[in-house]
Amino acid sequence: MGAGTLTIDLDAIVANWAALDAIAGAGVETSAVIKANAYGLGVDVVAPKLAAAGVQTFFVATAEEGLRLRSFVGDADIFVFSGHMAGDTDMLTQAKLIPMLNAPEQVTRHFSAAQGHPFGIQLDTGMNRLGIEFGDWHALSSELMAAGPRLVISHLACADEPDHPMNERQLRTFHEMTDGIASRRSLAATGGTLLGSEYHFELVRPGIGLYGGLPFAEATPVVRLDIPVIQTRIVQPFETVGYGNTWEAQVESCIATISAGYADGLIRAMGENAKVYAGEIACPVVGRVSMDLITVDVSHLEAVPDTLCLIGPHQCIDDIAQAAGTIGYEILTSLGDRYHRRAT
Ligand SMILES: *Cc1c(COP(=O)(O)O)cnc(C)c1O
């Protein structure tokens, strides 16, 4: 087998959802954010598993994602973060998706194109990315609240830094904008869920924590990636390995070439900061990551195994992310489609 094997532990995803649900506590619904193909892990396998575990509310980024999700989750609620865009109306109504209206133009569009169809509202409390702004909300809120939104949300910019003053500032703004409304509210993604109960309101919406990533440090790992060794060779002192001759042997070394590269989402920038594992034993990546191949120093192994492990018990998605100067979210959503994917 030339391609790596990506193993996705669905029970671990359910366990992470249940752990976050326990943190959210009684009276707070724990939904699941399943945008970007369930953070790259496969909405076709992740969504039915979560629905069977009792998740009743899902969030996706676009109406197209919601349309695809609908067939996997029965009649669960599906909210669409991008709201009601031009051209979305048929998808929203046919698949019973609930757009999170995020600007006055979307409000106008929704009320003229899909009068009576359920909607939610996203407010901007300072992130300045998506959501109705303070002044517009002031003008629109009575009309919108009269139509009975299913949910009113906002999103935290700095929730992965618990001591960041932005968290409290956004919490205060969210209260100012929404206190007294007759609608369920939601402010917390994974980070906000961990900030404490004052951030939970009626519903929390974790994504990354379900899939085993920071800031949910206690998460059960979800992903394992094993990559076959295609070839091994002995290189002599002063021989180089890979593009650009960036690595030069100082002593006689055994180099294994494994079958995955940046086209499979193993970000080139991680380069020699990353390791792969033969069981318990770390083996350094040497030379540049290429499109389909990575070279590894296995000189210290007694025997070279058939596969080496890049994501697993000894190196999680956030370790790889750190090596590449990025975040676990990007590692997960970059994982390519050449792997043999096994959901267990
Ligand atoms: C992606 C997203 C989430 C989930 O965030 P995580 O950090 O992955 O838990 C929640 N709410 C909104 C608005 C999002 O865009």
Side-chain angles (χ1 to χ4, degrees):
M1 264 196 331
T5 300
L6 184 70
T7 308
I8 297 151
D9 184 344
L10 299 176
D11 291 326
I13 296 178
V14 170
N16 289 330
W17 176 78
L20 289 162
D21 189 44
I23 292 169
V28 178
E29 182 182 350
T30 303
S31 65
V33 178
I34 201 155
K35 62 194 179 188
N37 194 28
Y39 288 46
L41 299 185
V43 76
D44 54 331
V45 288
V46 174
K49 186 80 183 182
L50 284 171
V55 178
Q56 290 164 346
T57 301
F58 293 89
F59 290 87
V60 291
T62 63
E64 286 82 354
E65 288 183 342
L67 186 60
R68 173 142 192 261
L69 177 60
R70 175 51 77 204
S71 58
F72 302 118
V73 297
D75 60 359
D77 282 347
I78 301 176
F79 288 93
V80 179
F81 285 136
S82 62
H84 192 150
M85 301 281 286
D88 281 353
T89 308
D90 287 350
M91 274 185 282
L92 294 172
T93 52
Q94 278 163 24
K96 297 192 166 61
L97 312 175
I98 310 174
M100 301 299 306
L101 306 182
N102 54 52
E105 306 75 62
Q106 290 212 343
V107 173
T108 308
R109 180 180 301 124
H110 187 77
F111 283 17
S112 63
Q115 184 70 43
H117 184 80
F119 66 97
I121 297 167
Q122 175 154 199
L123 301 175
D124 178 47
T125 52
M127 188 173 181
N128 287 311
R129 186 181 68 167
L130 208 55
I132 297 174
E133 305 234 3
F134 203 99
D136 291 328
W137 175 238
H138 199 70
L140 284 169
S141 61
S142 39
E143 182 199 354
L144 280 172
M145 291 313 302
R150 293 284 303 276
L151 185 67
V152 175
I153 75 164
S154 188
H155 194 51
L156 297 168
C158 304
D160 55 346
E161 298 175 58
D163 297 328
H164 202 296
M166 184 68 165
N167 296 321
E168 272 185 45
R169 219 181 306 150
Q170 287 192 266
L171 177 62
R172 216 173 319 127
T173 305
F174 192 54
H175 275 296
E176 272 173 51
M177 293 174 83
T178 62
D179 276 355
I181 64 171
S183 172
R184 296 208 301 166
R185 293 182 286 180
S186 174
L187 182 61
T190 302
T193 304
L194 302 173
L195 285 179
S197 57
E198 67 271 36
Y199 287 86
H200 294 166
F201 295 88
E202 282 75 39
L203 179 142
V204 294
R205 357 173 265 276
I208 192 71
L210 307 176
Y211 310 106
L214 287 176
F216 189 27
E218 282 75 43
T220 305
V222 168
V223 175
R224 178 181 172 107
L225 178 58
D226 297 287
I227 304 172
V229 175
I230 306 181
Q231 192 178 23
T232 57
R233 77 186 66 251
I234 302 296
V235 300
Q236 299 301 325
F238 312 119
E239 281 196 89
T240 55
V241 172
Y243 283 122
N245 289 4
T246 58
W247 189 83
E248 185 181 85
Q250 302 304 306
V251 295
E252 186 179 283
S253 304
C254 182
I255 302 299
T257 303
I258 62 174
S259 177
Y262 61 77
D264 304 292
L266 304 178
I267 296 176
R268 186 173 174 276
M270 77 181 183
E272 295 186 8
N273 299 321
K275 297 178 176 59
V276 296
Y277 282 82
E280 306 285 309
I281 306 171
C283 307
V285 169
V286 297
R288 287 196 183 144
V289 173
S290 27
M291 188 185 293
D292 319 300
L293 301 167
I294 294 173
T295 37
V296 181
D297 187 350
V298 292
S299 307
H300 53 306
L301 299 184
E302 272 174 25
V304 180
D306 291 342
T307 63
L308 291 164
C309 180
L310 190 94
I311 302 173
H314 301 293
Q315 185 167 253
C316 67
I317 55 170
D318 290 292
D319 297 324
I320 302 284
Q322 199 181 10
T326 180
I327 53 177
Y329 300 73
E330 190 179 9
I331 299 295
L332 284 181
T333 56
S334 301
L335 290 169
D337 36 276
R338 290 198 290 196
Y339 300 120
H340 298 282
R341 285 170 175 251
R342 279 183 45 220
T344 62

